[in-house]
Amino acid sequence: MQIGVVGLGRMGANIARRLMRAGHACVVHDAQAATTEALAGEGAVGAGSLAALCGALAAPRAVWVMLPAGDATETAIMELADLLSPGDTVIDGGNTFWKDDIRRARALAARGITYLDIGTSGGVWGLERGYCLMIGGERQAVQRLDPIFAALAPGRGAIPATRHRDGRESTAEQGYLHCGPSGAGHYVKMIHNGIEYGMMQAFAEGFDILRNAASPRLQEDQRLDLDVADIAEVWRRGSVVTSWLLDLTAEALAADSALAQFSGHVADSGEGRWTVEAAIEQATPAEVLTSALYTRFRSRQDHTFAEKVLSAMRKGFGGHQEPK
C-alpha cells in the first residue's frame, strides 16, 4: 500500500522505514528539509510540503501524522483537511488527548474524511521490535488499512498463546487492535502510559531501597552491600517482575550502577496527567498512578515548599533541627 508520513522524528522516521521494509510505499514530509531528504535517500518519496505530499498520493489517500501532541498536530491535521478529499483518511499516531480526537473526527467527517487515532507504543525500538497499536475510529477505514497496521505491529513472535482465548476473532495477538470508536485508541494508550508510570515508579523505588541497604543510617551489622546490576539481571531470569522495563533497567545498571549520567529530573508526556484526570472524572481510585505522576513533579525540584513546612512543624513540636 501507499501512505504518507508527516513528522520524521525518532518514531515517525522508523515507522516509515518499517513500512518500506514490508514493501509499502511511503511519501514523507518533515519541517526539516534535510530530514525529508535523508529518508528519501532510503527509498521514500520526499515531499517539501503537505500539499506536495497529498499530491503524490493516489486516492483513497492515507496520511499518518506523527508530531508532538498539541498545536503542531492540530495545525497539520487542519491543513491536511483542506488538502484531502472525501474518502481519504488522516491518522494521528502521536500522544493526543482522546477528547480532541472526538472533536477532530467530527470535523473531518463533515468533509467526508475519515480520522483514526492510534496509540503507538514501541519508542525508538519499534523499527526492529514492531509497534503495539491501539486504534480508534471507523471500522471500515481500519479494515482498509489493515496491511499497514499488520506491517507495523510486532506479530505473534515467540510469546506463548494466552489460554482461554480460543474462538476469539481478534488481531490483538498480532500486536494491534481496533479498540473502538474515535478517541478509543488514544484513551487506551493514555491508560497504558499511566500504568507505565506506576510500574516505572515501583522499579525505581525498589532499586533505591536496594542501593541504600548499606546506608550509614542503619546499624552496622544490618548493612547489606548489594550489587543492583546483578539483582536486576537475576530478576530478568524467571521472576514474576520480568518485563521490558526491567530489561532496560538492567542494561542501564550494567553500564553504570551509579547512573551518574542521569540528573534524576523526570519529565511527563501529559498522558499520566490525563489518566489521573480520567480517574477523577469517574471517581475511580488510582493511588499508585497518581503518586507516580506527583513523584515526577517532585523530581524537578531540590526541595518543595511542603518539605519546608514539614521541617518547620518538626522543629516546632519536637525541636528537630534540619541536617547540616
Side-chain angles (χ1 to χ4, degrees):
M1 295 187 73
Q2 186 190 45
I3 189 169
V5 180
V6 177
L8 306 176
R10 289 174 295 180
M11 290 183 69
N14 280 345
I15 282 172
R17 291 186 178 103
R18 187 169 174 90
L19 288 172
M20 289 190 293
R21 286 183 181 182
H24 298 286
C26 292
V27 182
V28 300
H29 169 72
D30 190 87
Q32 302 296 323
T35 304
T36 302
E37 292 170 5
L39 206 59
E42 297 180 35
V45 174
S49 65
L50 292 182
L53 179 140
C54 292
L57 294 170
R61 295 171 288 187
V63 181
W64 186 301
V65 178
M66 203 67 186
L67 294 169
D71 292 342
T73 295
E74 186 76 18
T75 299
I77 289 176
M78 290 303 101
E79 185 175 344
L80 285 168
D82 290 333
L83 295 167
L84 296 174
S85 304
D88 294 341
T89 301
V90 174
I91 299 167
D92 178 3
N95 287 332
T96 287
F97 184 45
W98 67 280
K99 292 182 181 179
D100 288 337
D101 293 317
I102 296 173
R103 170 180 55 79
R104 288 179 188 156
R106 187 180 299 116
L108 268 63
R111 300 171 180 242
I113 300 169
T114 304
Y115 176 87
L116 300 180
D117 54 284
I118 301 185
T120 309
S121 182
V124 297
W125 298 90
L127 176 60
E128 302 300 332
R129 292 172 59 108
Y131 299 92
C132 176
L133 305 176
M134 295 143 270
I135 308 168
E138 293 182 6
R139 183 172 296 279
Q140 185 176 358
V142 174
Q143 291 174 338
R144 182 175 75 83
L145 294 171
D146 185 81
I148 295 294
F149 307 141
L152 289 174
R156 290 179 181 271
I159 298 175
T162 300
R163 291 183 299 170
H164 313 306
R165 286 190 58 86
D166 297 343
R168 282 178 174 263
E169 295 184 4
S170 172
T171 58
E173 292 88 350
Q174 301 293 335
Y176 67 104
L177 178 68
H178 181 214
C179 299
S182 296
H186 279 145
Y187 189 93
V188 173
K189 177 58 161 52
M190 174 183 75
I191 303 304
H192 165 282
N193 280 27
I195 293 170
E196 177 186 302
Y197 278 37
M199 293 174 65
M200 292 174 69
Q201 188 62 30
F203 276 123
E205 292 178 8
F207 279 104
D208 200 18
I209 296 169
L210 289 169
R211 190 166 184 268
N212 284 293
S215 170
R217 298 185 182 92
L218 302 173
Q219 295 182 33
E220 189 170 357
D221 64 347
Q222 294 180 5
R223 297 173 192 170
L224 302 174
D225 186 11
L226 303 174
D227 189 323
V228 291
D230 275 356
I231 291 168
E233 188 62 29
V234 77
W235 282 354
R236 293 183 64 220
R237 314 290 170 170
S239 84
V240 297
V241 296
T242 298
S243 67
W244 187 24
L245 290 174
L246 180 59
D247 294 345
L248 297 174
T249 302
E251 183 175 340
L253 291 172
D256 175 16
S257 61
L259 301 179
Q261 65 175 302
F262 299 98
S263 69
H265 180 117
V266 186
D268 68 287
S269 64
E271 293 196 306
R273 303 187 191 204
W274 300 336
T275 299
V276 172
E277 289 172 2
I280 291 170
E281 289 178 354
Q282 301 167 7
T284 299
E287 297 95 330
V288 171
L289 308 190
T290 302
S291 178
L293 174 64
Y294 286 169
T295 299
R296 295 197 177 197
F297 298 161
R298 169 68 184 84
S299 76
R300 302 164 206 171
Q301 305 174 28
D302 291 330
H303 291 290
T304 66
F305 182 72
E307 290 166 338
K308 296 180 181 179
V309 173
L310 285 172
S311 185
M313 285 188 289
R314 292 183 76 246
K315 182 177 181 180
F317 67 71
H320 303 288
Q321 299 296 322
E322 291 184 339
K324 301 297 183 182

